[in-house]
Amino acid sequence: MYRSHVLVCGGTGCTSSGSEQIIKTLEGELEKTGLQNEIKVIKTGCFGLCALGPIMIVYPEGAFYSMVKPEDIPEIVSEHLLKGRIVTRLLYQETVTEDTIKSLNHTDFYKKQKRVALKNCGVIDPENINEYIAYDGYQALGKVLTEMTPEQVIDTIKASGLRGRGGAGFPTGLKWSFAAKNDADQKYVCCNADEGDPGAFMDRSILEGDPNVLIEAMTIAGYAIGASQGYVYVRAEYPIAVKRLQIAIDEAREMGFLGKDIFGSGFDFDLDIRLGAGAFVCGEETALMTSIEGKRGEPRPRPPFPAEKGLFGKPSVLNNVETYANIPQIILNGPEWFSSMGTEKSKGTKVFALGGKINNTGLVEVPMGTTLRTIIEEIGGGIPGGKKFKAAQTGGPSGGCIPAEHMDIEIDYDNLLSIGSMMGSGGLIVMDEDTCMVDIAKFFLEFTVDESCGKCTPCRIGTKRMYEILDKISKGKATMQDIDRLEKLAHYIKDNALCGLGQTAPNPVLSTLHFFRDEYVAHIVEKRCPAGVCKDLLNFYIREDKCKGCTLCARNCPVGAISGNVKEPHIIDRSKCIKCGACIEKCKFGAIEKH
């Protein structure tokens, strides 16, 4: 028996911040002090509050150490783990009160969250199947195989109201029922773990922190539709997720949760991983299946839909990681439990990857219907530096921008569609007043142009033409007629592209045009970028009344565009200036302005 457990985040974010070294140092210090048999060190998945990594929590006290450095470890071991004195100066300060340590669940970041899909992330060792079993793991699979018919499983998922968390929000139970009713000698269950949206890392974190939940859910799906083989399609850029998923698959096979005659039910199901090369288009279901087959990842015309003719031409279902992560709990707790959360048409919770201009970067899981304001101001901790909130981008390159006027919108599938955005897989990028909306639209269009598979003309050529118009606008070379051309082209691509990538590619442009048209007009008519972002429309000036002649700006200008004598106002030669901003960063007197 161990008297204390030390949980260290081993997710990608904390790993990149040095959590592996934290664990190594911690284990070394425990050996030095002879505590290695009293203190158990556990590497977990993501805790969610990525902005504070590396993260370490000590139980039973629940002491939440944040931004831990290797040099902090000897003090934590000698004071806290050996003498029982918590090192409060190293704790996440919001958990520290006068006479006690506040529970993590009572901090602003966590108290309005409801962890369902992320239930085990940051709680268990993802590389130990016994810890998953200890938290009710594989009980849902046992119940399904010994007490329920495939039809009852599908009816349960339908009754829960679970909709696909990968973007479009199609009812999961309905999708399963379509595949179940098609007879075939072989059927397949697929998982989209490709997750290509910039800023999105929800599925990766579930794979890293709770891989067995995916195995259990996909096996349940296999039983429901009559499939005996499953494939997880995950991008090769997720090495930690791939490693832990493979460990989980191997352990599940060894314990009889995968393979022949699972739970003595006569049901056979096995699972394999297929690595993707990072093509965004392979997030589209038919392109993903084509890639699993070993071909170039390009979408196919629909119909026929995958439920009828999917992977290898056989009936197949495809859901993303987060969708599957809800399945075991729905089976164990009942559909009414799940449908009691969320809104009338969007049940349950949704995981968001909160990033951009926000204080608390990380993973957030909230009930559907939570307002954007709650997520940004209360959970996210607001905008850094006292800046004003300008917009939030949801759904990545497929989504749209939500302006400040809609901050109180209740986030669910239908509400976001009504204002020209979409849920997408769950990326939520926050932008402040210094963000140029023309530049944002251009960024996402550039991404889409690069990621288009090129199979259909509207997407291959249309997105390129849209990008060219946006580029002209950002450089002050466009006319008002270009806005009309941009809108017309956007609507044409939405109506005529072959797959979801092309059909949704215009969304960032259309939403920014709708809510921030004045910025487009300023770029075109006034030759001015209101946010001061688009370099071609910027000029840098040194204010004589503020310049002290300290020469810092001149010494740091990479092209020698600044000149002047010591203790005298300097000037910028705009013919040489490359508008890099190095001078503004170095000036201590606020003497340099851009406009």
Side-chain angles (χ1 to χ4, degrees), residues 65 73-87:
Y65 291 104
I73 298 301
E75 183 180 0
I76 293 173
V77 171
S78 64
E79 289 296 309
H80 185 169
L81 300 179
L82 185 61
K83 301 173 185 174
R85 297 195 291 240
I86 295 173
V87 187

Side-chain angles (χ1 to χ4, degrees), residues 94-157:
E94 197 189 330
T95 66
V96 180
T97 61
E98 277 189 32
D99 49 9
T100 186
I101 300 298
K102 192 195 301 185
S103 164
L104 199 59
N105 291 331
H106 292 106
T107 61
D108 290 339
F109 183 77
Y110 287 102
K111 66 185 178 185
K112 293 207 171 178
Q113 293 193 49
K114 174 72 175 175
R115 290 166 82 86
V116 177
L118 300 177
K119 178 174 79 88
N120 291 332
C121 293
V123 176
I124 65 172
D125 178 354
E127 298 182 21
N128 186 344
I129 194 171
N130 291 310
E131 293 205 11
Y132 178 70
I133 292 170
Y135 280 80
D136 300 330
Y138 290 105
Q139 283 194 24
L141 178 60
K143 179 180 179 180
V144 161
L145 296 183
T146 59
E147 300 177 21
M148 302 174 73
T149 64
E151 293 77 15
Q152 287 173 325
V153 174
I154 290 173
D155 288 343
T156 299
I157 303 305

